[in-house]
Amino acid sequence: MKGVDQHQAAALAEPLLAICRERDVAFIVNDSVALAKRIGADGVHLGQDDSDPREARRVLGPAAQIGVTCHDSKHLAMEAGEAGADYVAFGAFYPTSTKEVRHYPDPSILGWWTTLFEIPCVAIGGITPVNARPLAEAGADFLAVCGAVWNAPEGEEAAVRAFTGLLG
């Protein structure tokens, strides 16, 4: 909910958080450590212009899941890992309307990461059931999808089922 103040975001997030809790699914807040702390989220995903992972860990505690977008940079990913990130995210791998994209990594970065590091990596950006398999095969531990689910003409449940099994 970019562009929404924290009070509105908290009001919108709380029922979603309850749904996630009922289903034993982690609720990760995008960009805002303060909002994650306020609503008791399971963690936060940080962009390069957001809080430092060390500060997020200090505020959210040792059990929080902290992820960091690293675009197409091996260096940023290694720094995030050293700073205590629980996962690193690379992308956008494909064109997306979710946000403006300046970095399009080669899928080989996923294999490079998983070969050298134990911290999971996430592929992001324009991922659909049709184009996801090469990312899974390249080494993505997780896929972050948005438009492919929320904008799916066949509905969200069918879209989620279409992704099932892609990561093994």
Side-chain angles (χ1 to χ4, degrees), residues 48 68-78 89-93 101-110 112 122 124:
Q48 287 299 310
V68 178
T69 294
C70 300
H71 305 298
D72 59 352
S73 173
K74 295 174 180 178
H75 179 74
L76 290 176
M78 288 186 286
F90 296 106
F93 285 96
V101 177
R102 296 185 311 260
H103 307 277
Y104 288 97
D106 187 274
S108 64
I109 198 169
L110 301 166
W112 168 82
V122 179
I124 61 174

Side-chain angles (χ1 to χ4, degrees), residues 44-101:
V44 66
H45 181 85
L46 303 171
Q48 287 299 310
D49 296 327
D50 300 324
S51 179
D52 180 90
R54 286 176 279 268
E55 176 64 11
R57 179 75 61 212
R58 185 189 68 72
V59 171
L60 299 176
Q65 295 178 43
I66 299 172
V68 178
T69 294
C70 300
H71 305 298
D72 59 352
S73 173
K74 295 174 180 178
H75 179 74
L76 290 176
M78 288 186 286
E79 284 184 338
E82 289 174 7
D86 294 296
Y87 68 88
V88 298
F90 296 106
F93 285 96
Y94 305 110
T96 178
S97 61
T98 304
K99 62 171 52 179
E100 183 182 329
V101 177

Side-chain angles (χ1 to χ4, degrees), residues 128-129 146-163:
T128 69
C146 185
V149 172
W150 298 115
N151 302 326
E154 69 278 8
E156 294 89 5
E157 287 185 37
V160 170
R161 278 193 303 276
F163 280 104

Side-chain angles (χ1 to χ4, degrees), residues 128-152:
T128 69
V130 173
N131 65 20
R133 186 163 301 282
L135 300 174
E137 291 172 350
D141 295 296
F142 299 97
L143 303 173
V145 299
C146 185
V149 172
W150 298 115
N151 302 326

Side-chain angles (χ1 to χ4, degrees), residues 90 108-121 138-141:
F90 296 106
S108 64
I109 198 169
L110 301 166
W112 168 82
W113 181 262
T114 56
T115 299
L116 297 176
F117 301 97
E118 291 183 19
I119 298 170
C121 68
D141 295 296

